[in-house]
Amino acid sequence: MAARPLRVEGAYAFTPRVFPDSRGAFLSPYQEPAFTATVGHGLFPVAQTNHSVSARDVVRGVHYTLTPPGAAKYVYCARGSAVDIVVDIRVGSPTFGAWDAVLLDQSEHRAVYFPLGLGHAFVSLQDDTVMSYMVSSSYVPEHELALTVLDPALGLPLPARDRMILSDRDSVAPTLAEAAAAGALPRYEECLRIEKAMYA
């Protein structure tokens, strides 16, 4: 499995080796030894797995979890293709406001690791795209927050506005600056403290 750091501090993309044969192919989207060697610890305790199916041009995000408890994620595309986007929304982080994008698809089978406190968005590139991810905390509706993907200060890689399919919730989400002013963003030092306890 190959790994590379992303432009957001603590986030990584992983690309597994694929073993094709006459029956199809076999691969492991998550591999503990490679993950530990790259990140410095094993995967977070998995509290929940999520699975979404999206039509082409669906844009989900930027979603994040109130911290504490916060949520770390390990995301891959089980079918179709998507541009997966990680956004650093941790106040005090050395890469605050930065983002990176990774193509997740059925060809390379990449996965993205999001440490606790980051924002997550993706753009579905084809119909019936399936995104699967492991998360470190269970779903609690009041803990789940969003920022607008349309924030011009972020400048995320998006399809044309007239093609984008957004949920009502995502359509009215605040900008990064508005959420920061409201004190609604995770704090970098607190994220590190929670993560340290998580892997102790």
Side-chain angles (χ1 to χ4, degrees):
M1 173 173 271
R4 67 178 178 88
L6 300 181
R7 288 192 292 264
V8 170
E9 191 269 328
Y12 293 87
F14 293 88
T15 306
R17 185 177 174 190
V18 180
F19 298 91
D21 62 23
S22 59
R23 301 166 297 169
F26 178 84
L27 63 130
S28 296
Y30 172 72
Q31 299 171 36
E32 184 88 9
F35 184 89
T36 300
T38 301
V39 180
H41 54 71
L43 189 67
F44 47 80
V46 176
Q48 184 169 306
T49 58
N50 296 335
H51 177 104
S52 69
V53 182
S54 300
R56 181 176 178 174
D57 294 325
V58 164
V59 180
R60 297 182 189 256
V62 177
H63 297 157
Y64 67 103
T65 303
L66 185 71
T67 306
K73 298 179 180 179
Y74 191 85
V75 183
Y76 67 97
C77 180
R79 183 177 68 213
S81 60
V83 175
D84 204 55
I85 305 168
V86 54
V87 184
D88 196 343
I89 61 171
R90 301 166 299 183
V91 175
S93 167
T95 54
F96 177 75
W99 59 267
D100 207 343
V102 179
L103 176 64
L104 304 185
D105 61 20
Q106 291 177 261
S107 174
E108 299 294 330
H109 300 280
R110 293 180 193 90
V112 177
Y113 166 63
F114 292 71
L116 194 116
L118 297 182
H120 178 217
F122 69 83
V123 179
S124 176
L125 300 180
Q126 60 189 87
D127 288 338
D128 296 321
T129 287
V130 175
M131 299 292 278
S132 295
Y133 38 108
M134 299 179 283
V135 293
S136 65
S137 61
S138 298
Y139 175 75
V140 178
E142 55 268 29
H143 291 171
E144 299 306 314
L145 305 174
L147 303 174
T148 178
V149 293
L150 303 174
D151 187 344
L154 292 176
L156 301 180
L158 301 171
R161 183 67 182 94
D162 61 348
R163 289 186 7 232
M164 262 189 275
I165 303 169
L166 294 170
S167 70
D168 292 342
R169 169 198 178 202
D170 290 345
S171 296
V172 298
T175 65
L176 181 67
E178 288 168 342
L185 297 178
R187 303 199 67 80
Y188 179 66
E189 293 300 329
E190 186 168 34
C191 291
L192 295 183
R193 178 184 59 77
I194 295 170
E195 283 194 320
K196 184 177 180 180
M198 185 187 298
Y199 300 116

